[in-house]
Structures are given as structure tokens and as C-alpha cells.
Amino acid sequence: IWRGIAKALGATIRFIARGAKDLDPTHQRDGAAFALLILAIIAGAGAWFHADNVISRAVYAFIYGAFGRIGFIAPLVLVYFAIRLFRVPDEKAATGRIIVGTITLLISATGLAHLLNGSLGTGATAIRHGGGWIGYGVSSGLVALVTEVLAIPILLIFLTFGLLIITKTPLSKVFSQIGKVFSIGRAGISSARAKRAERLVAEDF
């Protein structure tokens, strides 16, 4: 029954994705993807709906205890990786890169959440309203090394780095785009100054 449901769901997702519908059966990982999808549903029930049962309460305590406010998006992350495993299980290099980027984002985002929330304590409320135990560990260690003033920009750099890894964007391309923005800005300023000068000349005559 498990394999049948997983295969049917995987075939449906690959059909919708079109490009992945001809995936070699030897590369399919529908069972693992289905398990990940069920885990995402359980995480969503605990993190979003606070279902009144033992499992949901345990999931809620684990997710928000570990990740704090960032735990709200944990079910979405699990759904993404489940769908990816259904669609392109053979793209292991790309999936590995996205996992590394996601972990980088997770570490930096929880650290920032803890610092910006001002949660300096280790109580359950402070942890859940901040960045969880992960955010507490990351931010506390970083603040001890470089102070809070430098910890925030460092975490922002790591956050940006994680996004670049996930999107497979070279750093040189980012600098190139920034340069283009500055060039457009300079051109706009020069054009505005030229028009202003022409208007002043016209007013003098």
C-alpha cells in the first residue's frame, strides 16, 4: 500500500512537472519522498495548527524549541525537499548544494532572530520567541567573540551567502549587478543635472 501510494503520488508530481515524467524507475525515490511529505504534514499540524494530541505537542515543542520563530517555515522546507525528491532524485549534486545553502540560511536566520528579538535568556518562552536553541547557541558564541554590533552584519553576510548557494549565483555576478545599479544611478543623476542646467539657462533667457 505504501509503495502504491508513493508511486502514484510521484507519477502525478512528475506528470505535472512534465520534464520529469520520463525519469528512469531505477532513479526514483518515491518511498523516501512520501515519508518526507508525511513528516512535513505532521510538522505542519504541530507548528501551524497546534493540534491537541501528544504527537503534535511534541512536534511543536521540538520545532519551536530548536528553531524558534523560524520553525514556522519548517513544514514548507520539508515539502520542498519531498517534491524535489519526487521530481529529480538523480540530481544529487544540486540537492546537496541546496541542502548546504538551506543549513547556512537556517543557522544565520535563527541567530538573527535571537538577536533581533532580544532573547538573552534560556527560558522556554525566550527560546521559542527568538531563534530557538540553535539561534541561542550561534548568537551567544558570536556575540562573545565579536560583540552584538558585529554579530548582526556577520550573520547577514552568511544569510546572503546561503541564498547565493541555493540560487547558484556567483559572487562576481552579484558585484556585476551592483555595478550596473550604480551605473544606472550615476547616469540618472547626470541626466537630471543636465536637464536642470538646461532649464536654468532657458530661464535666464
Side-chain angles (χ1 to χ4, degrees), residues 56-203:
S56 292
R57 286 195 295 270
V59 169
Y60 174 84
F62 172 77
I63 290 177
Y64 281 90
F67 310 112
R69 291 183 180 273
I70 307 302
F72 186 81
I73 65 171
L76 296 178
V77 174
L78 291 173
V79 168
Y80 169 79
F81 280 107
I83 293 175
R84 182 172 181 82
L85 198 56
F86 274 125
R87 290 184 61 247
V88 285
D90 53 332
E91 294 184 4
K92 295 180 180 179
T95 300
R97 170 178 54 79
I98 294 172
I99 289 174
V100 171
T102 302
I103 292 173
T104 305
L105 279 178
L106 175 68
I107 291 173
S108 55
T110 52
L112 284 169
H114 194 81
L115 288 175
L116 296 177
N117 185 63
S119 301
L120 301 178
T122 58
T125 301
I127 290 296
R128 290 176 182 175
H129 289 179
W133 283 106
I134 294 176
Y136 172 77
V138 170
S139 59
S140 297
L142 201 54
V143 168
L145 287 173
V146 298
T147 72
E148 186 174 344
V149 175
L150 293 177
I152 292 178
I154 289 174
L155 288 172
L156 286 173
I157 291 172
F158 272 99
L159 187 72
T160 305
F161 183 62
L163 289 172
L164 294 179
I165 293 176
I166 291 175
T167 57
K168 201 178 180 180
T169 304
L171 197 58
S172 57
K173 186 175 181 180
V174 175
F175 288 130
S176 175
Q177 293 298 325
I178 292 174
K180 288 181 180 178
V181 170
F182 277 109
S183 297
I184 293 172
R186 285 197 299 269
I189 292 172
S190 298
S191 176
R193 287 177 176 174
K195 289 180 179 179
R196 183 181 178 185
E198 291 176 359
R199 187 169 61 253
L200 290 175
V201 171
E203 288 176 357

